[in-house]
Amino acid sequence: FRTALEIGSFLGTSGTAFVEAVNAGRLEHATFCDLEPRENLRRVLATCRDPTRLTLQPGRSIDLLARGARFDFVFVDGDHGLA
């Protein structure tokens, strides 16, 4: 796949794999969607050699997808319970 979306990032542990794939040229672009991105995630994203190939999207994933965003791969790791 060329583009990926991670929904829910918490500490950025799984996001590390996406950043490594971008750095290795195996993934063109990764988007990270989280209601409240934490500093740990920001540190993970800072390890990307080409930050233009990453997007950090604070907010609800449903809002991102409602705007017509399309991805080849979506990793759902977020809490979609009702608050």
Side-chain angles (χ1 to χ4, degrees):
F1 48 87
R2 295 174 38 207
T3 61
L5 167 65
E6 180 180 29
I7 297 174
S9 300
F10 192 48
L11 298 177
T13 305
S14 57
T16 300
F18 290 107
V19 172
E20 288 176 357
V22 168
N23 283 342
R26 294 188 308 263
L27 183 64
E28 287 182 19
H29 193 91
T31 299
F32 301 84
C33 185
D34 198 292
L35 284 174
E36 297 177 11
R38 292 171 175 75
E39 187 58 33
N40 284 7
L41 173 63
R42 295 178 192 282
R43 281 195 291 271
V44 167
L45 300 185
T47 66
C48 187
R49 294 184 199 123
D50 184 357
T52 65
R53 295 176 59 195
L54 301 180
T55 300
L56 176 58
Q57 183 66 51
R60 299 179 336 148
S61 57
I62 194 163
D63 296 330
L64 173 66
L65 297 171
R67 291 194 302 264
R70 300 279 182 228
F71 303 94
D72 299 322
F73 178 81
V74 177
F75 178 63
V76 180
D77 194 24
D79 178 5
H80 283 201
L82 296 174

